[in-house]
Amino acid sequence: MISAPRPRNPKGKGERLRHDIITAATALIGEHGQAGLTLRAIARTAGVTAPAIYDHFDDLDDVRRAVVDHTFVEFAAFLARRAGDRTEPADRLDALCRAYVEYGITQPQQYAVMFGAGAVPPSPTAAPKSVETMPGAGAFELLLEAVRACPDSSGQHGGQSLHTAMAVWVALHGYVGLRVAAPDFPWPAGDALLETLVQRLVCPDHATSPHPRINKP
């Protein structure tokens, strides 16, 4: 459906137009995937002319990069909401991991924006990314803080926390990918497999039962 032309933004409102373009592109990906993302489609959805997009973005890849950043911000906010005000470390980690999986399974197009094979490459002029500056740093920091707060197998806090957080991320990403690719597989009820994966990565000496809960000692 073609949106009616929008009124021209008053002087100084260019940032709002940029936000509207990103929102339109995000909506298109959510509805049609990356294949549905074109400058013409973005312009129609945002109610602007295609040339107006070039006032804020160099090209379609530049829009895609902005959408990636925007989606990661929304993803981090989703994780934070699901974790809520939980202060017990293992319980908070449990909530974050479940939220990660929920987002990936229920919003596969948005998840693919962040991690899919069609994700846009970084800008050729961009500086190398670190854990602190990579796209999604805010979301990863939530996971890292939760892992860091959990006691390791020796009873100490914050051991190999970065390495462990990366391992948990890899496990979550793999789990989401398989759940999306093979929804008819007889997955254990209640994310019991997810609990097992995270428990064995974060507290390997305590992962002795078939389906341990990570929010139990």
Side-chain angles (χ1 to χ4, degrees):
M1 182 176 180
I2 299 177
S3 303
R6 58 175 291 146
R8 186 179 181 86
N9 278 320
K11 185 176 181 180
K13 297 296 184 179
E15 200 57 38
R16 191 182 85 184
L17 175 55
R18 176 182 171 85
H19 178 269
D20 289 349
I21 292 169
I22 294 171
T23 300
T26 302
L28 283 167
I29 293 175
E31 186 174 351
H32 303 292
Q34 292 278 359
L37 195 65
T38 66
L39 289 177
R40 287 182 180 275
I42 295 169
R44 285 197 303 269
T45 303
V48 300
T49 62
I53 296 175
Y54 288 102
D55 291 338
H56 302 275
F57 301 94
D58 294 336
D59 51 26
L60 184 58
D61 278 351
D62 198 24
V63 177
R64 285 184 174 132
R65 280 187 283 270
V67 170
V68 169
D69 290 340
H70 174 77
T71 305
F72 266 122
V73 169
E74 292 198 332
F75 178 50
F78 178 87
L79 296 181
R81 286 195 304 272
R82 286 293 191 269
D85 57 359
R86 292 174 176 83
T87 57
E88 200 284 318
D91 187 38
R92 184 171 178 82
L93 178 61
D94 178 75
L96 287 170
C97 291
R98 289 175 182 277
Y100 185 111
V101 172
E102 178 187 350
Y103 187 96
I105 292 174
T106 62
Q107 303 189 60
Q109 298 285 17
Q110 285 83 351
Y111 190 80
V113 167
M114 299 183 291
F115 302 118
V120 65
S123 169
T125 60
K129 297 294 183 182
S130 66
V131 171
E132 292 78 15
T133 61
M134 67 181 183
F140 184 76
E141 182 65 22
L142 290 171
L143 179 63
L144 177 58
E145 289 176 351
V147 169
R148 186 176 285 142
C150 290
D152 60 26
S153 59
S154 65
Q156 301 298 312
H157 288 259
Q160 298 291 325
S161 53
L162 178 58
H163 179 90
T164 300
M166 289 180 178
V168 172
W169 175 31
V170 169
L172 293 173
H173 181 64
Y175 185 56
V176 167
L178 286 171
R179 286 291 301 267
V180 171
D184 295 332
F185 184 81
W187 299 101
D191 283 330
L193 180 58
L194 173 63
E195 295 168 3
T196 301
L197 286 170
V198 178
Q199 176 77 29
R200 290 180 178 175
L201 287 166
V202 178
C203 300
D205 289 357
H206 297 156
T208 56
S209 61
H211 303 300
R213 290 189 59 80
I214 62 174
N215 60 349
K216 289 185 179 180

